[in-house]
Amino acid sequence: MARDVLFKPGQESFSPDQDYRDKGVPKDPDDQFMRWINLPRSGMPNSPGIRPLQYLSKPAFTKLPSLLVLVTKKSTTGGSYNPWNDELDWDNETITYWGDAKLHSERRVTDFPGNRVLERVWKAVKAGKRDVLPPILHFVKYESGWVTFTGLCEMTALSLGHFEEKGRRVANYRCQLRILGMDSVPVSWLHSRRWAGSPEEALRGAPKSWTAWVLDSNPPPSVELVAEPMELPVAAEASRSSGQGFSSDSRVRMEIERHAMERARAYFQKAGFTKIVDVSRQKSFDLHVQDGERELFVEVKGTKTVGSRILLTRNEVEFARRNRDKMVLYVFHSMRVREVNGEMIVEGGEERVSDPWDVDSGTLDIASITYSYALP
């Protein structure tokens, strides 16, 4: 089949929940993914999940990518092993997307090219530079040879997460994405945008949802990055039993979080809840607790301070507002943490529980998205 028979820029588009042929060969006339998106000198490779595409205009009006394509691999056939489990939350129209760090004894989280791209985009998000931010197109590879388009997205949070692999803690970025709508994305816009010489030109031909998002005069605030690059751990950290590989601060923080989750689980078990599930990796809250008809969404926080102030991501705030009738805030505070023979020991601590919890009953610091509260 001739190339111009299948591919006619201006007519082809990516529509949410539709499948597209991905043969991994841009010159293949049947390829509806790389061939549609790629341009000479502005293309994406076949294998990585994080695929930035550069501007073709000279000079480009921003150093950020023109587009950012993210691919979640759910297929078990073909390709390399990926321990990171991206999660799609259709109810809340959000995606948890992991960076590209792999098990490595020396490389830091920001030594991986995909993570550097996520961090650059995130800094622009925090600075409120919507007019130069790249559109994020998210696809899922459920089976070899095909991708399914999820939708056009914005990045709403970036934080550090960990995964256990071969007895080692692997550090990686994870970002939260929000799907902007169900608009189709014209391929012609993905091409013309890369030739744009200004933010105004980059909007020509864009889907309505993207234009509305860029031009929003009162956007919701963004969330501070959990750690600055200088503080980021190497991608592979030794397990706690070895007493090596963790910085002191990161080990303390992880032990505080783990201990708070254990205490919260014990609290709800004592309260009679029979089903307690840790959903912190997939949802915008930490524990999903149920007992018969009772159902609660629990936000868990641990701290060495007196617990009068906690940090929340924007997604956590939005979820708590939508579900305030089922929300509970559990804070385990005033913990003391010390290291003995390479092991972290937690001592003391008190719990504060707000049940039900109205996130707007406290004081929300818009600048940093921190929530200050005082229990009655």
Side-chain angles (χ1 to χ4, degrees), residues 51-70:
R51 309 181 187 186
L53 292 100
Q54 66 182 10
Y55 280 95
L56 291 168
S57 53
K58 301 293 183 183
F61 62 88
T62 175
K63 294 182 179 180
L64 292 171
S66 173
L67 311 169
L68 182 57
V69 175
L70 301 180

Side-chain angles (χ1 to χ4, degrees), residues 94-128:
T94 61
I95 302 165
T96 300
Y97 190 90
W98 288 91
D100 62 341
K102 299 294 190 294
L103 181 65
H104 199 282
S105 60
E106 297 179 355
R107 296 178 70 181
R108 302 176 70 85
V109 171
T110 50
D111 289 336
F112 294 86
N115 277 346
R116 289 198 296 271
V117 172
L118 295 180
E119 188 174 67
R120 286 168 54 207
V121 171
W122 179 240
K123 287 180 178 179
V125 171
K126 290 196 298 178

Side-chain angles (χ1 to χ4, degrees), residues 299-312:
E299 183 65 39
V300 179
K301 297 295 180 182
T303 177
K304 294 190 293 182
T305 71
V306 296
S308 61
R309 190 175 182 87
I310 62 172
L311 298 177
L312 296 168

